[in-house]
Amino acid sequence: MGSATEYNRRDIFKRAAAVTVLAAGGSTLLAACAAGGGSSSDNKGSAPTNSGSATNPFGVKSGDPLDVVIFKGGYGDDYAKAFEDMYKKTYTGANISHLGTTDISPKLQPRFNAGNPPDVIDDSGAQQMKIDVLEKAGQLTDLTVLLDAPYLDDPSKKIRDVLLPGTIEQGTIDGKMYSLNYVYTVYGLWYSNKLFKDKGWAPPKTWDEFITLCGTIKAAGIAPFAHQGKYPYYANYVILDLIAKQGGADLVKKIDALDPTAFDDPAVLAGVTAFFKIMQGDFLLPGTNGMTHTESQTAWCQGKAAFIPSGSWLENEMIKVTPADFDMAFLPIPSLSGDKMDPASVRAGAGEPFIVPSKAKNQAGGLEFLRMMLTKEGSGKFAAAANSLSVLKDGIGADVVLKPGTKSSSVAVTAAGSNTFNFSYPDLQTAFDTELQNATNELVNSRITPADWVARAKAATSKKV
């Protein structure tokens, strides 16, 4: 699988973080979306309100049709059809139009230009309509009204009270939320629980335990660690998570801000040095430094390596090649001595942005569709169909049968509670991110030292987008 395909897949999960970047003036898409110019306020449709009843806060009319467009990427669109069935049970007179496509911008830009956008859109993938551009053109509904609406499962709570950490911020531009980033992605290490049980290996809690276990795994004739070598950002999940847990939330912010002094913090060298022990111990799967994500992950599924780093899309991505008894399991990055973050802390964040256009004919229906997605029923249907978590807190009921990896990552999110973190630099500082990936590629090939990596990272902070 080529790099273009890989970055398209990566977009599915990570694109949403870029919504806080303001579009440059004069963008052709901005001009097109503005449909003739004028200020943002001129282009916005009527502002939605919570003036309806407690059970129907947006005032949805049962007979109004609903127009739904879903990015049919890594998650497919079966889950959205399940949401549509939920909607029709309440609004029985609604005729629902459904389009699943990867061509979001080519299909929808003409409709936005004509003032006839769909009512709700999963705006993701390589052909995503840029959310910041749409917002500046006045084309998006302010979702504050959704955040303040009653939570369907417990109307004593508001929607804003039941979202996982970072969800609101991820979809916020200039203080207002314009996209509901629905999928909660968790990042860390993955292993086969069956393999570990068969061998009598215990998942490590500390990095020292991890390195010791790597020696045991190698002695058993299995490579301890594989990674997606052609895409070094996967290895950076490990390196930067070690750094984050060691240095704390303030260091994460300094790194995202491209503050060069961040790399003077001893936590940075400590994290990189800990990771480099994998190379020093000769624990890499042979050839993994040159593999694509598909190649390395397939080798891992075949039992050729014990650990691999990834986000929680891994299970669904590898579902066709994973042995039935593999029993995929998630492991937060093991802790270093003196970590400032809790050992249960995980990198996690919201992605897959859903929007309601301001000029939607059934704006109220679009908002209600999002509210229904944020129920235990909706979240459970998504988890079962897409093998991933939603941003609803405790969104998986006991009746939902999850695949092992999804269940394992759900347990980790619950254990972490508020102890989650995320980096924005991969999306908002792409030149810097590229330099970090290049440095990591040299590190995994043992062509530079951890100190060299730190020096390169510090120098890369001068590379602004």
Side-chain angles (χ1 to χ4, degrees):
M1 189 174 291
S3 60
T5 305
E6 161 61 13
Y7 274 87
N8 290 352
R9 188 207 54 72
R10 184 188 184 197
D11 281 344
I12 298 171
F13 304 97
K14 305 192 71 182
R15 176 81 70 176
V19 299
T20 51
V21 181
L22 290 179
S27 161
T28 55
L29 180 55
L30 174 57
C33 288
S39 68
S40 292
S41 59
D42 293 336
N43 293 315
K44 290 188 178 180
S46 57
T49 64
N50 278 328
S51 58
S53 66
T55 55
N56 185 9
F58 311 119
V60 178
K61 296 175 182 175
S62 183
D64 284 356
L66 186 72
D67 191 347
V68 181
V69 176
I70 300 294
F71 172 68
K72 193 173 180 179
Y75 304 118
D77 63 346
D78 286 346
Y79 71 89
K81 293 175 183 176
F83 296 157
E84 291 158 13
D85 289 340
M86 291 168 57
Y87 186 94
K88 289 177 79 169
K89 284 179 183 176
T90 301
Y91 303 102
T92 54
N95 178 38
I96 299 180
S97 168
H98 174 99
L99 173 64
T101 180
T102 56
D103 297 326
I104 295 295
S105 186
K107 298 272 189 191
L108 297 188
Q109 188 173 327
R111 294 191 57 184
F112 273 84
N113 293 347
N116 180 38
D119 300 313
V120 62
I121 304 163
D122 170 16
D123 184 26
S124 297
Q127 300 284 349
Q128 178 203 44
M129 298 191 75
K130 299 297 186 287
I131 291 173
D132 54 325
V133 175
L134 289 173
E135 186 277 327
K136 285 187 74 69
Q139 294 284 351
L140 299 181
T141 298
D142 176 359
L143 298 182
T144 302
V145 67
L146 172 69
L147 297 177
D148 291 333
Y151 171 46
L152 269 164
D153 292 344
D154 181 358
S156 70
K157 297 178 181 178
K158 294 181 178 180
I159 292 293
R160 66 170 69 248
D161 301 326
V162 297
L163 300 176
L164 284 167
T167 303
I168 294 174
E169 292 80 0
Q170 197 76 357
T172 295
I173 303 173
D174 293 338
K176 294 180 180 179
M177 189 175 96
Y178 290 96
S179 64
L180 170 66
N181 290 275
Y182 185 69
V183 184
Y184 205 67
T185 303
V186 190
Y187 304 83
L189 294 174
W190 298 80
Y191 64 97
S192 164
N193 202 38
K194 179 185 185 298
L195 173 66
F196 274 52
K197 284 182 176 178
D198 288 349
K199 298 292 187 180
W201 300 333
K205 294 182 178 179
T206 70
W207 194 256
D208 285 344
E209 290 175 359
F210 171 78
I211 293 299
T212 299
L213 178 59
C214 282
T216 303
I217 293 169
K218 184 181 178 183
I222 299 170
F225 188 85
H227 73 109
Q228 302 81 341
K230 286 195 173 180
Y231 311 110
Y233 66 85
Y234 284 91
N236 278 345
Y237 293 152
V238 184
I239 296 173
L240 272 296
D241 284 18
L242 285 166
I243 291 170
K245 294 177 95 165
Q246 179 77 17
D250 287 342
L251 181 57
V252 171
K253 291 178 183 176
K254 289 176 72 175
I255 291 172
D256 277 339
L258 269 54
D259 182 342
T261 66
F263 294 92
D264 298 328
D265 191 311
V268 177
L269 182 58
V272 185
T273 300
F275 176 78
F276 194 61
K277 289 182 179 179
I278 295 173
M279 275 59 70
Q280 289 176 313
D282 192 22
F283 296 147
L284 288 179
L285 172 70
T288 194
N289 288 345
M291 290 183 182
T292 65
H293 63 299
T294 306
E295 291 165 346
S296 60
Q297 291 162 193
T298 298
W300 172 71
C301 287
Q302 293 169 343
K304 295 176 182 176
F307 289 106
I308 197 164
S310 186
S312 49
W313 60 79
L314 178 66
E315 186 167 44
N316 208 49
E317 187 169 65
M318 303 308 295
I319 201 163
K320 292 181 180 178
V321 300
T322 306
D325 61 350
F326 190 79
D327 198 5
M328 194 178 295
F330 173 82
L331 180 72
I333 299 300
S335 58
L336 296 173
S337 177
D339 274 358
K340 290 185 179 178
M341 288 190 184
D342 187 277
S345 297
V346 291
R347 185 197 296 217
E352 199 79 3
F354 280 73
I355 57 175
V356 175
S358 58
K359 294 183 179 179
K361 286 188 173 63
N362 190 4
Q363 189 183 45
L367 290 165
E368 184 66 8
F369 188 85
L370 297 185
R371 193 167 76 111
M372 287 184 172
M373 287 167 56
L374 294 167
T375 58
K376 283 218 170 187
E377 181 184 0
S379 183
K381 287 180 183 298
F382 175 76
N387 298 309
S388 291
L389 307 178
S390 82
V391 294
L392 181 69
K393 287 179 185 174
D394 301 319
I396 309 298
D399 59 323
V400 179
V401 179
L402 299 175
K403 290 197 175 295
T406 305
K407 185 175 183 179
S408 178
S409 59
S410 177
V411 169
V413 169
T414 300
S418 61
N419 294 311
T420 62
F421 62 95
N422 205 0
F423 285 93
S424 65
Y425 78 82
D427 301 280
L428 304 185
Q429 303 291 350
T430 54
F432 170 74
D433 181 42
T434 298
E435 290 298 310
L436 282 196
Q437 291 190 51
N438 291 342
T440 295
N441 183 54
E442 295 298 294
L443 188 74
V444 295
N445 283 287
S446 298
R447 290 193 288 259
I448 63 172
T449 66
D452 294 332
W453 189 98
V454 175
R456 286 188 177 209
K458 184 174 182 177
T461 58
S462 65
K463 294 188 178 291
K464 308 294 183 183
V465 176

